[in-house]
Amino acid sequence: MIRHTRIPHSIRLTLTDRCNLSCDFCFMDASSQSNKEELKTDEWLQVFKRLKELRVFNISLSGGEIFLRDDLMVLLKQLRENRMHKITLLTNGTLITKEIAGQLEQLKIKSIIISLDGLEEKHDQIRGSGAFRDTVTGIRHLISAGITPYIAFTPVRDNYSDLGALIDFLVPLGVSGISVNTLTPEGRCLEIYKDVVLQFPQQVKDVLTVVADKKRLYPDFKIDCSLGFHYNLPQSYHYYKENPGNYEIKHLKDGCGAASTSCAIAADGAVIPCEGLSMFKGGNIKEQDLSEIWNDSENFKTIRNLSNVSMDQTPHCKECKYIYLCDGGCRATAKLIYNDLTAPDISCPYWDGAQTGLTP
């Protein structure tokens, strides 16, 4: 089980809710205008100062689209001067000019994750006309400046067939690798999730087959894939049956660091366990110290206490034969879909309601 650390090991900072694109399944529901009063430059700089004092050195910066902030380079310069161990930027890449790429290289920002959801037709269908061209241009600027970005791809029913060709395109382009991510039912995706999520098991199998084939074809190109867990559970179960002594009962949230080792700070300063659990706000960085929020927030305690709930105590999973192999999945999706922190992850195909469409 994960117990909470004295301070978070990593924090995701949402610098803005604004975005220059309007993607179909944006988990932030980002748009060109923000509905929050975003932290100003000096307020973020105070946050960075406190992070340095607390020795929080692993930071991810996301949006919206972070390059919409006119002060981004000022913020990055301060983070670099604070000697952060790792600074990761998450972006759609469309606003990265040659000049910006050069500034990022001077600041030694090396970890940049750029979203691509297929080749041009599929990507533009999801993100808007011209988005693919602008993103690839941004990628080329980074590579020319000596920065090799990493690609994030979220397969859905309309674009998963592009994965193989996309990898074939990316390898000679010079990026470092690709992460094949799980679709999350948050933001704009909440209403359309069931219509766009990959069909289990065949479409998931198709993606996993492509991943395996491309790993063999491109051994030096990194390919991460988070889709195989449920698909491979029956095979894992056979091994468990032969080696039961190697396993202990799992607990909800065993594999999740939210409120235990990590948290997020929203664009308006709200401190939350993660983006999907924004309803469990711990406080606001403008009004309370981060350490106080982290250690004393009742909402944070509620989330981290899920680590004490064993799988044989969860009402919808306790009879499942996989409880020694599974920690119940994402608590944010359980809350968002079923309004129950102990409900199954919506991506699980093995609980009874998953087949009938019933809610827990």
Side-chain angles (χ1 to χ4, degrees):
M1 291 182 291
I2 298 177
R3 304 297 184 183
H4 86 282
T5 53
R6 184 180 60 84
I7 58 168
H9 288 167
S10 60
I11 295 182
R12 183 161 174 165
L13 308 178
T14 300
L15 296 183
T16 179
D17 289 330
R18 294 174 291 125
C19 189
N20 59 319
L21 302 181
S22 184
C23 307
D24 291 346
F25 46 81
C26 176
F27 76 93
M28 287 293 296
D29 197 13
S31 63
S32 59
Q33 301 294 321
S34 176
N35 59 6
K36 297 177 181 178
E37 185 178 345
E38 298 176 353
L39 295 183
K40 298 177 176 60
T41 304
D42 59 339
E43 291 175 316
W44 276 121
L45 293 178
Q46 285 299 312
V47 172
F48 298 166
K49 179 181 178 182
R50 186 57 178 143
L51 295 180
K52 180 180 180 181
E53 293 171 349
L54 292 172
R55 302 180 67 81
V56 180
F57 292 136
N58 294 310
I59 302 297
S60 297
L61 305 181
S62 70
E65 173 48 53
I66 59 173
F67 285 96
L68 283 176
R69 285 201 65 123
D70 295 335
D71 61 354
L72 180 60
M73 293 304 165
V74 174
L75 300 179
L76 290 176
K77 184 175 185 291
Q78 185 60 57
L79 283 174
R80 179 54 69 204
E81 291 178 354
N82 284 359
R83 294 187 172 274
M84 294 291 174
H85 291 319
K86 185 174 182 181
I87 302 170
T88 299
L89 310 187
L90 292 88
T91 171
N92 61 43
T94 60
L95 301 178
I96 298 177
T97 63
K98 183 178 181 180
E99 179 184 8
I100 287 174
Q103 292 174 326
L104 293 173
E105 194 280 330
Q106 289 179 356
L107 289 170
K108 301 188 184 304
I109 304 295
K110 298 297 184 182
S111 180
I112 301 179
I113 300 175
I114 296 180
S115 298
L116 266 179
D117 291 316
L119 295 177
E120 187 166 11
E121 180 181 355
K122 294 298 184 183
H123 183 81
D124 284 3
Q125 179 181 318
I126 293 169
R127 293 181 176 259
S129 178
F132 181 85
R133 177 198 61 226
D134 292 343
T135 295
V136 172
T137 298
I139 291 172
R140 293 187 190 277
H141 287 320
L142 290 172
I143 293 172
S144 295
I147 301 170
T148 53
Y150 196 69
I151 302 302
F153 172 80
T154 302
V156 294
R157 293 179 196 180
D158 287 342
N159 74 344
Y160 80 97
S161 59
D162 263 16
L163 178 57
L166 178 63
I167 293 173
D168 292 338
F169 171 78
L170 292 172
V171 171
L173 188 61
V175 303
S176 59
I178 187 171
S179 175
V180 183
N181 299 326
T182 302
L183 183 69
T184 57
E186 303 171 23
R188 276 196 288 276
C189 185
L190 188 59
E191 297 300 322
I192 64 173
Y193 178 83
K194 291 184 178 180
D195 296 323
V196 299
V197 68
L198 292 178
Q199 293 176 318
F200 187 91
Q202 187 56 52
Q203 290 180 347
V204 173
K205 178 183 179 181
D206 292 344
V207 170
L208 295 176
T209 299
V210 170
V211 167
D213 289 345
K214 297 304 179 182
K215 281 184 175 182
R216 286 190 292 268
L217 183 60
Y218 305 116
D220 296 326
F221 185 77
K222 187 175 182 181
I223 305 176
D224 293 317
C225 182
S226 61
L227 298 182
F229 178 75
H230 291 115
Y231 184 83
N232 293 319
L233 260 181
Q235 181 180 348
S236 301
Y237 181 71
H238 289 309
Y239 180 84
Y240 158 73
K241 289 290 287 184
E242 296 176 358
N243 304 273
N246 295 341
Y247 294 84
E248 296 180 356
I249 191 74
K250 287 186 172 290
H251 296 70
L252 285 176
K253 222 176 82 62
D254 272 356
C256 171
S260 298
T261 61
S262 63
C263 66
I265 300 179
D268 63 352
V271 183
I272 53 180
C274 70
E275 292 86 345
L277 291 170
S278 58
M279 69 290 291
F280 287 89
K281 176 181 172 182
N284 193 293
I285 202 72
K286 294 189 290 187
E287 302 163 355
Q288 291 177 272
D289 184 71
L290 178 60
S291 179
E292 176 186 347
I293 296 171
W294 177 257
N295 288 294
D296 299 337
S297 164
E298 292 301 319
N299 277 339
F300 271 45
K301 290 177 183 178
T302 295
I303 300 304
R304 63 176 60 118
N305 282 341
L306 294 171
S307 297
N308 297 319
V309 180
S310 62
M311 293 304 297
D312 57 358
Q313 295 175 318
T314 58
H316 304 287
C317 300
K318 62 182 180 181
E319 302 299 332
C320 179
K321 65 182 181 181
Y322 298 132
I323 59 173
Y324 281 84
L325 303 170
C326 177
D327 59 15
C330 179
R331 297 301 87 211
T333 62
K335 178 64 176 177
L336 286 166
I337 299 298
Y338 306 122
N339 196 31
D340 181 356
L341 283 170
T342 67
D345 186 321
I346 191 174
S347 65
C348 175
Y350 299 115
W351 69 282
D352 291 341
Q355 307 305 320
T356 63
L358 298 176
T359 56

